[in-house]
Amino acid sequence: MKSFKQLSSYLLIIALFVATISCDTSDSNSGGEQQVTVKMKIDNSNNSSAKQFSYSPTTQSVDSLTEVKLLVEELELESTADDDSLDFEVDDLVVNLPLDGSEFNLTSGNVPAGVYDEFEMEIEHDDDTNVNDPDFINESGDEDDGYTVVIKGIYNGEEFTYQSDEDFEIELEFNPPFEINDDSSPSIAINIDPSGWFTDSSGNDLDPNDPANYEQIKENIENSFDVEQDDDGDNDDDNDD
């Protein structure tokens, strides 16, 4: 009878120990992830950018933009701890950016707590791409060779359409690193400044209709991306830069 009582005591102790461990594990996992929203917007806050959106055409340069669209294939966060990365699901997402500077919500997802120092975005059109927008379909009819960026606007008083079939892999570093924890309600804002898209390094105009300018315009677009972090969800940039 004494053995039975001892066995019962041992079983009770084991049960309490397992319950304690379970509670601790549950508590540690409950705050282990936070929902992160990724947004994108055109930054027309500076004077040079405002020129791009003036609807009083002059006789020089790009007078206005009427549509900006991107084909986003993948978004990724990279951790500082172990070089792991986290993918957001955004396959074949056509982003039609508002020209008034308002934000476009790309996606959101649960991200493990930790510190992240880099954000990557792929803008590409591959053999698995499936979009219905005809602006992203190459006139050759080759589905594997569609467009990734479509920009429409007014140049010298005439409408133009710039289409790039180049793949863009944008790598943006957080400074300071992007921290996700129980006390944060984080979001990521990707800002695009179009003010230098159609000018060269000397400030000369780049005619968007001239194929000789396509590569320089492509590089200008790639260099116009910037990333901000908003740790408290108030839509204000928390970076010092």
Side-chain angles (χ1 to χ4, degrees), residues 35-196:
Q35 187 173 63
V36 175
T37 301
V38 182
K39 306 174 183 179
M40 183 182 288
K41 69 176 181 178
I42 285 180
D43 179 9
N44 55 5
S45 59
N46 59 60
N47 292 332
S48 59
S49 181
K51 175 187 175 184
Q52 300 287 335
F53 296 92
S54 169
Y55 286 89
S56 300
T58 64
T59 58
Q60 297 294 323
S61 190
V62 172
D63 308 315
S64 65
L65 300 180
T66 57
E67 193 168 34
V68 175
K69 294 189 290 188
L70 311 172
L71 181 57
V72 178
E73 182 66 25
E74 184 177 2
L75 301 174
E76 187 177 275
L77 272 174
E78 290 195 0
S79 170
T80 60
D82 48 18
D83 295 328
D84 283 347
S85 61
L86 175 76
D87 293 337
F88 289 88
E89 297 296 330
V90 292
D91 292 347
D92 304 336
L93 175 63
V94 173
V95 179
N96 195 332
L97 286 169
L99 299 182
D100 61 1
S102 57
E103 290 180 323
F104 180 96
N105 284 353
L106 290 177
T107 187
S108 62
N110 291 328
V111 177
V115 179
Y116 299 83
D117 62 352
E118 190 170 278
F119 181 84
E120 293 185 3
M121 175 171 58
E122 292 184 7
I123 300 173
E124 64 179 27
H125 193 133
D126 54 31
D127 54 359
D128 296 326
T129 299
N130 182 20
V131 293
N132 296 321
D133 191 328
D135 285 339
F136 290 93
I137 306 301
N138 196 311
E139 293 180 357
S140 67
D142 186 354
E143 295 181 357
D144 299 344
D145 191 26
Y147 297 110
T148 58
V149 175
V150 178
I151 302 171
K152 298 180 182 181
I154 306 296
Y155 178 78
N156 285 346
E158 299 291 334
E159 294 183 355
F160 76 88
T161 298
Y162 171 86
Q163 294 166 298
S164 175
D165 59 4
E166 296 285 342
D167 292 341
F168 294 76
E169 185 170 319
I170 312 295
E171 296 184 358
L172 303 167
E173 293 185 357
F174 292 114
N175 184 23
F178 184 60
E179 184 173 0
I180 298 173
N181 54 50
D182 292 342
D183 299 325
S184 65
S185 178
S187 64
I188 299 170
I190 305 166
N191 298 326
I192 307 172
D193 181 1
S195 61

